[in-house]
Amino acid sequence: MIYPKIPLAQSIIQICLAKGITTIIISPGSRNAPLTIGFVSNPAFQCYSIADERAAAFFALGIAQQTKQPVALVCTSGSALLNYYPAFAEAFYSQIPLIVLSADRPQSKIDIGDGQTIRQENVFINHSLYNANLNEDASKANDFKINEAIDFALHKKGPVHINAPFEEPLYETVSELSVAVTITASTNDTPMISNEELADFLTIWNNSTKKMILVGVNEPNLISEKTIATLAQDESVVVMTETTSNVNHLSFINNIDTIITPFTNADFEDFRPEILVTFGGMIVSKRIKAFLRKYKPKHHWHIDALRAYDTFNALTKHFEVSPNAFFEALLPLTEVVKSDYFEKLEAVKLLRKQKHEIYLAKIQFSDFKVFEKVIQNLPRNSQLQISNSSAIRYAQLIDIDSSIEVYCNRGTSGIDGSTSTAIGAAVANEKQTVFITGDVGFLYDSNALWNSYIPKNFKIILINNGGGGIFRILPGHEESPVFNTFFETSHGLTAEHLAKMYGFEYSIANDETSLVKELDALYRQNEKPSILEVFTPTLENDRILLQYFRELV
């Protein structure tokens, strides 16, 4: 076996192996050579080489998103490390475990004018669960910090930073280890909840006739079928799910904006819940957030073993357990409550469904029509990755088959690494992965395609409306050079030559007939990854979407 000669690099590699951190994403560099040599030379590690650090970090995020296990990132010193920050912040807010291993200059070389040198210690401090600033020599103190960092990533579900200074020579190797590392045991008790802890809240539940369950970003199969069925049968409960919730039942409301956008003030007041129970990550719908901030519930309970955000400025209780543990303890103790809360919303849901179908049947080819056709034609049991901005908001309006898993980077809601995340996720799972993105997000992360590991069945559906279409929907839009250049970012670019350069199959659609035809061809072609670019009318998309909400009444 080949090992780096530098003892500190040996320590990091051995502790990672002992802790089960075996997926390593490496960006080429010189200062990180000791780590690169050690990881790549050991067959116990699965190593990937991704040149662009920003793309590498989101690629790692996609793998960790799927495996639920920490993925390690390795980079050289200097600005390379800063390019991890967008994915690092996303991992923090999405509770995805990442371990950044940054190679650094020794302290004596910092701020003296040495090349490729910045202040790397604590650089992620605002979004890092743990910062391990190591000393240059291997030691028990360093071992403790490395162990702690990895344990935080494992059990606290988020990103950590291990900064390791290496002095030259960097490329020397040995055939035997020169250090014996210290491995600390880690525990992760599963939090539970007792009947005594629930007693007061059970009384509130049993005396409430309007209970809303709102589910944000959520892992597939996290909630038991028994819990879903019990909630669906309770006439005092309305369950509202987002596309990213991965929670499905015919009685649940999965198109929140379609339901509540046409509401009057009287409707909102009548819909105000007495109890709001939330679980999962960030909420996409701005309308449900605005509603619950204005028409606050008497009680807001959030269920999460680690964190609770007071999204609606109404939080009254944080249950620090898993959603399953909470509902499995609570629901068997609840009583039947007479209520028309579900019945009223079900009537609204049926009306909106009729209006929705009538409207989609008559509109011209546009972003909205494309999303309808694309989502209807997704393969069953596939995985859908969605970019941010307009893409995820349109997806919220269309029913998605319950067999399809849905993911989106909603931690920071950025467009910067959606493609890289989708590719990482495709590498880490065996399902057919489809990525729906807008043109600005795709172009922003085009280095994602500079990747040798993309599965042959990976599909990108690129909706090109000529710019940042979401800015046409937001208040304040007006047609002007300032708007087109500095908000919408009109560009006139296509993916054709990028597809050719990176070896993707490429096809286009610009009307409903060609879209249906090309979607069929897209899923039959699995010899290499594919891009289907769909061109929609820039000046019509916002009008068609805004008119949709007017015709739902």
Side-chain angles (χ1 to χ4, degrees), residues 355-370:
K355 297 290 186 179
H356 170 93
E357 291 173 353
I358 291 169
Y359 187 75
L360 275 171
K362 70 179 183 180
I363 61 174
Q364 70 186 73
F365 190 71
S366 59
D367 284 353
F368 203 175
K369 176 61 74 173
V370 169

Side-chain angles (χ1 to χ4, degrees), residues 5 55 71 120 124 145 157 162 229 252 302 309 337-338 438 454 459 482 499 547:
K5 185 176 181 180
V71 173
Q120 292 185 194
F124 300 128
K145 292 177 184 178
K157 294 184 180 179
I162 300 172
F252 294 172
H302 186 72
Y309 294 117
V337 178
K338 189 67 178 173
I454 303 174
K459 314 295 183 185
V482 169
Q547 184 62 26

Side-chain angles (χ1 to χ4, degrees), residues 140-419:
K140 286 188 176 181
N142 276 341
D143 287 356
F144 175 79
K145 292 177 184 178
I146 300 165
N147 276 275
E148 281 280 279
I150 293 173
D151 288 345
F152 266 71
L154 274 166
H155 304 312
K156 300 298 182 182
K157 294 184 180 179
V160 298
H161 178 205
I162 300 172
N163 191 60
F166 299 132
E167 183 57 283
E168 297 177 5
L170 302 169
Y171 294 87
E172 293 184 345
T173 61
V174 293
S175 58
E176 299 288 339
L177 291 169
S178 60
V179 296
V181 296
T182 301
I183 308 297
T184 60
S186 59
T187 58
N188 184 37
D189 296 330
T190 302
M192 302 300 291
I193 190 166
S194 67
N195 289 354
E196 290 75 18
E197 292 174 278
L198 281 174
D200 291 342
F201 301 98
L202 182 64
T203 300
I204 295 170
W205 180 278
N206 286 334
N207 287 318
S208 300
T209 60
K210 296 180 178 180
K211 311 176 187 89
M212 179 191 296
I213 313 290
L214 177 59
V215 191
V217 175
N218 197 61
E219 295 173 12
N221 307 310
L222 190 67
I223 307 302
S224 71
E225 291 297 325
K226 182 179 179 182
T227 292
I228 289 172
T230 303
L231 292 172
Q233 292 164 8
D234 191 328
E235 62 188 34
S236 69
V237 171
V238 168
V239 180
M240 307 195 83
T241 64
E242 296 215 304
T243 300
T244 52
S245 72
N246 291 297
V247 174
N248 300 283
H249 193 279
L250 289 174
S251 72
F252 294 172
I253 291 172
N254 61 357
N255 48 356
I256 297 172
D257 287 357
T258 298
I259 297 294
I260 71 172
T261 299
F263 273 1
T264 63
N265 288 337
D267 292 330
F268 279 126
E269 188 59 60
D270 191 42
F271 185 43
R272 182 205 300 254
E274 295 166 277
I275 302 174
L276 170 67
V277 179
T278 56
F279 64 89
M282 304 300 188
I283 300 294
V284 175
S285 171
K286 294 178 70 173
R287 289 176 171 89
I288 195 68
K289 285 185 277 194
F291 159 59
L292 291 169
R293 286 166 183 165
K294 183 176 180 180
Y295 299 88
K296 296 184 188 298
K298 293 178 183 177
H299 309 277
H300 173 202
W301 306 341
H302 186 72
I303 311 164
D304 189 293
L306 296 171
R307 300 184 207 168
Y309 294 117
D310 191 4
T311 303
F312 314 106
N313 303 314
L315 186 67
T316 55
K317 177 62 178 177
H318 174 202
F319 289 97
E320 297 181 54
V321 295
S322 72
N324 255 345
F326 173 81
F327 286 116
E328 287 174 4
L330 176 79
L331 294 180
L333 305 175
T334 58
E335 299 172 359
V336 175
V337 178
K338 189 67 178 173
S339 172
D340 62 357
Y341 192 48
F342 171 82
E343 184 181 10
K344 284 183 176 180
L345 261 295
E346 182 68 9
V348 173
K349 178 181 172 183
L350 292 174
L351 172 64
R352 298 281 195 266
K353 181 177 174 60
Q354 293 172 0
K355 297 290 186 179
H356 170 93
E357 291 173 353
I358 291 169
Y359 187 75
L360 275 171
K362 70 179 183 180
I363 61 174
Q364 70 186 73
F365 190 71
S366 59
D367 284 353
F368 203 175
K369 176 61 74 173
V370 169
F371 271 89
E372 178 199 24
K373 294 301 179 187
V374 166
I375 289 176
Q376 282 178 352
N377 285 278
L378 289 170
R380 283 182 56 81
N381 299 305
S382 61
Q383 180 177 114
L384 174 62
Q385 294 274 339
I386 309 177
S387 180
N388 271 302
S389 206
S390 295
I392 186 59
R393 298 188 186 281
Y394 273 111
Q396 294 268 99
L397 305 176
I398 310 292
D399 289 342
I400 295 179
D401 187 273
S402 61
S403 72
I404 297 170
E405 299 176 353
V406 184
Y407 294 88
C408 179
N409 286 346
R410 291 306 297 176
T412 61
S413 305
I415 64 169
D416 35 9
S418 295
T419 312

Side-chain angles (χ1 to χ4, degrees), residues 97-135:
L98 287 183
I99 300 168
V100 166
L101 299 169
S102 58
D104 198 359
R105 298 293 205 268
Q107 274 294 320
S108 60
K109 300 289 181 68
I110 308 299
D111 286 345
I112 66 165
D114 207 29
Q116 207 168 330
T117 305
I118 65 170
R119 300 172 188 175
Q120 292 185 194
E121 291 190 353
N122 301 316
V123 74
F124 300 128
I125 193 166
N126 285 335
H127 298 96
S128 181
L129 299 183
Y130 191 95
N131 299 286
N133 298 307
L134 307 182
N135 298 316

